[in-house]
Amino acid sequence: QKCISEAGVASRRAAETMISAGRVTVNGQTAQLGAQADPETDVICIDGRPLPSRAPKRYIMLNKPRGYVTTMKDEHGRKTVADLVRGCGARVVPVGRLDYNSEGLLLLTNDGDLLNALTHPRHEVEKHYEVRVRGNLENIPKLAEPMEIDGYSIRPATVVTIDRDEISAKLRLTIHEGRNRQIRKMCEKCGLEVRRLKRVAMGTMPLDPHLKSGAWRELTNDEIAYLQDIAADVQENL
C-alpha cells in the first residue's frame, strides 16, 4: 500500500481496500496485506495494469486561511486544503493539521517517510503560533505550566506576550505536540477565549511573509534539507 500511495494512485487506506479485494498483484501473484514489494525490481499491477512510475517528491508550503479543513476530502462538503493546492500537479497530503478556524503555515507532501517522521508522536517538531486571546488575562502565565489535555500530559508550552491592552492580548505560543485543538483547549482551561490562531513557524522554518492567505509555493532546497535532517534524527532515535 505504501508503493501504491507513493505512486500517486490512491491513499494507503484505499490501497489496502484494493489489496483486500484481490485487485493487486506482485510479479503475477495476488498480493496480501503486509507483504513487501520494491517498485524498482518488482512488477506491481492493479487490475492487471502496471503501477505507474513513482511520483516525484513534492514539498509545499501553504498559507492556510480560516474556513478550510485540513483534509483532502470532507464528508460534510466543507472547503478543504486540497481545493487550495489542486493545481500543484501531485497528490500531496498535509503534515499534521490546523483546525477549521485556524490559519497559517501548513506543509503538504507526497513523501511518506518524511511525513511519518515529522508527525511521529514521540518526536514532533516544535510549532510556533501567534494567538489573540480575550478573557482573564491574568491567567496567561498558566499557559506555560504543566497541563493535562484529553487525559494526556502535554509538555509545558513557551509563552511570550507580544502586546496587550485591557481586554485582549497577542501571544507567541510554542508547543511540542500537535494534539487536536490543543491551544484552544489550553486557553479554555485558563479562562481565555481564542479570537485568532495563526501558525507562524515549524521548528526554525517560518511562514513565508510574502505568501498571501490561500496561496502556496514549493519549498526551497534549503527548507527541504532542513526537514530531511529532522526526519533523519527522528529515525536514528526510534
Side-chain angles (χ1 to χ4, degrees):
Q1 55 264 44
K2 179 182 177 183
C3 298
I4 293 172
S5 175
E6 290 188 344
V9 174
S11 68
R12 287 198 185 192
R13 182 174 298 179
E16 289 174 359
T17 301
M18 292 177 181
I19 295 169
S20 298
R23 297 173 56 194
V24 181
T25 60
V26 178
N27 300 327
Q29 302 296 314
T30 301
Q32 304 294 324
L33 285 175
Q36 301 292 313
D38 183 347
E40 300 297 329
T41 57
D42 295 316
V43 179
I44 304 170
C45 295
I46 301 173
D47 297 331
R49 298 177 180 176
L51 196 66
S53 300
R54 185 177 301 183
K57 295 292 190 294
R58 300 290 297 277
Y59 308 89
I60 287 173
M61 176 186 292
L62 169 69
N63 186 357
K64 177 194 173 296
R66 286 178 282 187
Y68 285 78
V69 289
T70 306
T71 183
M72 305 313 286
K73 183 182 294 185
D74 183 64
E75 59 185 13
H76 302 295
R78 293 173 296 182
K79 294 180 291 186
T80 75
V81 295
D83 300 327
L84 298 171
V85 299
R86 199 173 302 281
C88 74
R91 185 185 180 279
V92 293
V93 295
V95 179
R97 62 167 64 89
L98 282 172
D99 68 39
Y100 184 77
N101 289 314
S102 298
E103 59 190 300
L105 174 60
L106 183 67
L107 301 179
L108 299 99
T109 185
N110 59 356
D111 186 337
D113 292 333
L114 182 70
L115 174 69
N116 292 335
L118 293 179
T119 56
H120 193 284
R122 287 175 52 197
H123 300 280
E124 289 200 77
V125 182
E126 283 188 340
K127 302 167 187 67
H128 309 275
Y129 298 81
E130 288 182 358
V131 190
R132 174 66 67 176
V133 297
R134 297 180 67 173
N136 191 345
L137 303 184
E138 300 308 314
N139 284 345
I140 289 175
K142 292 184 178 181
L143 291 170
E145 296 177 359
M147 194 180 300
E148 188 174 284
I149 299 292
D150 297 333
Y152 179 84
S153 296
I154 61 172
R155 295 166 61 187
T158 301
V159 184
V160 176
T161 299
I162 299 174
D163 63 55
R164 174 175 171 172
D165 56 32
E166 294 182 356
I167 62 171
S168 70
K170 184 177 182 180
L171 312 175
R172 171 90 174 199
L173 204 152
T174 300
I175 62 173
H176 308 277
E177 302 91 350
R179 307 193 71 80
N180 184 38
R181 298 175 63 84
Q182 179 174 331
I183 291 178
R184 296 183 188 276
K185 292 176 180 178
M186 291 168 60
C187 289
E188 184 179 356
K189 276 182 170 286
C190 296
L192 298 165
E193 176 192 4
V194 174
R195 303 293 293 175
R196 189 173 185 180
L197 178 58
K198 182 177 183 178
R199 183 188 288 159
V200 294
M202 291 181 64
T204 61
M205 180 188 299
L207 174 65
D208 187 334
H210 303 293
L211 201 59
K212 295 181 179 180
S213 180
W216 61 271
R217 68 161 173 81
E218 302 278 356
L219 294 190
T220 66
N221 289 336
D222 286 344
E223 290 168 337
I224 295 170
Y226 167 69
L227 295 177
Q228 290 174 335
D229 284 345
I230 294 175
D233 288 342
V234 170
Q235 294 298 329
E236 289 178 4
N237 291 295
L238 288 180

